[in-house]
Amino acid sequence: MSPSGRTPLGIKQLQQKICNKEGFPDLDSYFAACKSFLEFLARVHPTRIVSPTSPNYIFFQYDKAHGHRITRPLNADLFIEDTQTFERDLQHFRNILEVISTSRSDREEAIRKRKLEPSSIDKVVYTIQQSLGSVGDSLQNANQSRKRIGQLFEGLIRAIINAIGVACEPRTVKIPLPGHPGRQMSYELDLVFSRGKAIVASETNVLSAEEIVGSVKTTSKDRIDKVFLDKFLLTRLLGRDVRVIAIFLHDVQRAKKKGNIFGVNSTFKSNHFLGYTLALNRLDGVYYVDPRPVMTQAPELSREISSFARFLTTDLWKL
């Protein structure tokens, strides 16, 4: 039995779990899956590899039965490997969600008064998502895994936002093209949420002025252009400003450097990001669970990009 009294899951059972479209109906199911993976790590001890190019990133390599496959790079400053530490931070995370959902004023101050650590938000979210991603990396079909892990991240963020009392759902809207009767442009939106009133049913084609569009992706690689374009086109087609935010997990990938396959490369295109921000339109918020150092060090980027913890505790309530 696992320390929590549950029957421990093997990697094949975890694979089945993440591939099951109905396997994550609520936030607790994400917590349970993450705990199972951390218990698997503690029980099996797959090879732990430190990146020679970025020592704060690690990899796990599975055994021969799973083709010696290698996980994605994991930020050791955020990824919680120890199950007891995860349980402690998870309790902080639960308490923070409760404070956020019940406070009616300064949520950051309310969290400080409870002596809770806001950093637990990013650590817990990162550990959950990267645990699921690492299970996906053990699958034989990498493309299938990549798509499914992206869906799970969208579901995780949606479950968190719902947990703090803000209704949000994916939405497909069909927007008429001005001057072209009968023609429409269809948009599939990752999240639509509203703090001001009850959300319109997700089946509707309407996007009201009170609602905010959220793009949720594991990485901005090959996707950042579309987020800015969505903001531009939605605003132009609807004839009013449409608030659009982006939530990303990280912007790193494994890379071969000087013959070593455990290097880490950034996938963040700072020039593209700043070009769209300055020449097209600013987004209403960009948030990373694992931001790249340049995002906090470069003033022109730090003005535009914040942590996911800041989104939950502060910015969401100002949108």
Side-chain angles (χ1 to χ4, degrees), residues 34 37-38 56-58 72-81 86 93 119-134 153 156-157 160 218 248-253 264 288-292 308:
C34 180
F37 179 71
L38 297 181
N56 61 317
Y57 281 90
I58 62 171
R72 60 204 54 209
L74 307 171
N75 187 338
D77 296 330
L78 290 171
F79 187 79
I80 306 166
E81 298 178 56
F86 179 76
F93 179 71
S119 61
S120 296
I121 296 174
D122 291 325
K123 287 183 177 180
V124 168
V125 172
Y126 186 85
T127 303
I128 292 171
Q129 181 60 29
Q130 293 295 63
S131 292
L132 301 179
S134 295
F153 185 54
L156 174 60
I157 298 302
I160 292 170
T218 55
F248 299 111
L249 178 69
H250 63 175
D251 255 322
V252 296
Q253 65 182 12
V264 174
Y288 276 82
V289 181
D290 177 19
R292 300 299 299 146
F308 179 66

Side-chain angles (χ1 to χ4, degrees), residues 78-238:
L78 290 171
F79 187 79
I80 306 166
E81 298 178 56
D82 177 69
T83 53
Q84 289 185 335
T85 304
F86 179 76
E87 289 280 8
R88 183 201 66 198
D89 281 15
L90 179 58
Q91 189 56 55
H92 275 265
F93 179 71
R94 289 180 184 273
N95 292 340
I96 289 170
L97 293 187
E98 180 186 359
V99 170
I100 292 173
S101 64
T102 56
S103 297
R104 294 294 176 265
S105 55
D106 189 332
R107 288 162 176 83
E108 285 186 304
E109 179 61 24
I111 290 169
R112 280 194 293 270
K113 285 182 178 179
R114 288 278 300 271
K115 297 182 179 180
L116 298 170
E117 290 292 336
S119 61
S120 296
I121 296 174
D122 291 325
K123 287 183 177 180
V124 168
V125 172
Y126 186 85
T127 303
I128 292 171
Q129 181 60 29
Q130 293 295 63
S131 292
L132 301 179
S134 295
V135 174
D137 293 334
S138 71
L139 291 168
Q140 190 169 4
N141 188 330
N143 289 330
Q144 175 195 20
S145 166
R146 192 175 298 114
K147 181 178 179 180
R148 180 59 182 147
I149 298 309
Q151 293 170 343
L152 288 171
F153 185 54
E154 290 178 24
L156 174 60
I157 298 302
R158 183 168 65 249
I160 292 170
I161 295 175
N162 282 330
I164 59 175
V166 177
C168 70
E169 292 292 341
R171 174 87 57 82
T172 297
V173 296
K174 293 182 180 179
I175 302 175
L177 296 179
H180 299 276
R183 291 191 176 273
Q184 297 178 321
M185 178 174 283
S186 180
Y187 265 96
E188 291 185 9
L189 306 173
D190 295 339
L191 292 182
V192 177
F193 58 94
S194 172
R195 188 168 61 92
K197 63 182 184 63
I199 197 166
V200 180
S202 58
E203 291 80 11
T204 184
N205 287 331
V206 175
L207 188 64
S208 72
E210 294 83 5
E211 291 177 329
I212 300 147
V213 174
S215 178
V216 182
K217 306 296 180 189
T218 55
T219 172
S220 75
K221 180 186 177 184
D222 303 325
R223 295 178 177 90
I224 194 68
D225 305 24
K226 185 180 184 303
V227 183
F228 280 97
L229 187 59
D230 284 350
K231 163 86 174 174
F232 175 79
L233 284 177
L234 287 170
T235 294
R236 183 168 181 176
L237 292 174
L238 291 175

Side-chain angles (χ1 to χ4, degrees), residues 38-48 60-63:
L38 297 181
E39 290 165 0
F40 166 80
L41 291 181
R43 190 172 66 252
V44 178
H45 301 293
T47 305
R48 187 183 188 273
F60 291 107
Q61 185 169 29
Y62 294 103
D63 59 18

